[in-house]
Amino acid sequence: MVLVSYVIFQARFLIQGPSVTLINEPSSVQNAKIIHLMGNAHNITKITLNGRQIFTDKSGYFDEALVLENGYTIATIAATDRYGREKDVVRQFVYTPTSIMPE
């Protein structure tokens, strides 16, 4: 019984699937053209930001710059584990420059 409990305890991450957690999330309304999305990802084999592969360090930490378009931008972080299960984190941002140069 103890052995079965231990195996289930150790397999919890495989059962759980991929996880992505953002830390220090930027505000959804931004005056800066470039923002940083930082976080941790665990139990993954691949992670992307808007379809572009990004990388984590040994502890699963990532820090990626995102250039905001004028107006509305959607950022999608997608993580996949070795069984093909996917976890998506979607955030929406609105870029409003503080000053607009006259033409």
Side-chain angles (χ1 to χ4, degrees):
M1 182 64 178
V2 173
L3 179 63
V4 172
S5 297
Y6 178 74
V7 169
I8 291 172
F9 177 74
Q10 289 300 324
R12 72 188 182 280
F13 296 121
L14 297 176
I15 295 167
Q16 224 174 19
S19 70
V20 176
T21 305
L22 291 177
I23 53 177
N24 297 331
E25 277 192 58
S27 171
S28 61
V29 177
Q30 289 289 319
N31 294 332
K33 186 79 170 168
I34 299 174
I35 61 171
H36 283 267
L37 297 175
M38 299 173 281
N40 288 304
H42 297 285
N43 304 325
I44 64 164
T45 55
K46 183 179 179 183
I47 185 168
T48 62
L49 172 59
N50 291 343
R52 179 181 55 87
Q53 187 169 5
I54 61 175
F55 300 95
T56 64
D57 63 11
K58 290 181 181 181
S59 64
Y61 177 79
F62 62 89
D63 181 357
E64 286 295 315
L66 176 66
V67 178
L68 300 178
E69 298 294 328
N70 290 334
Y72 185 69
T73 301
I74 296 177
T76 303
I77 299 173
T80 307
D81 70 1
R82 63 178 156 181
Y83 300 110
R85 295 178 292 189
E86 191 170 296
K87 168 74 176 185
D88 294 334
V89 175
V90 179
R91 296 296 184 263
Q92 303 169 2
F93 300 100
V94 177
Y95 171 62
T96 55
T98 55
S99 63
I100 299 175
M101 310 262 299
E103 294 182 33

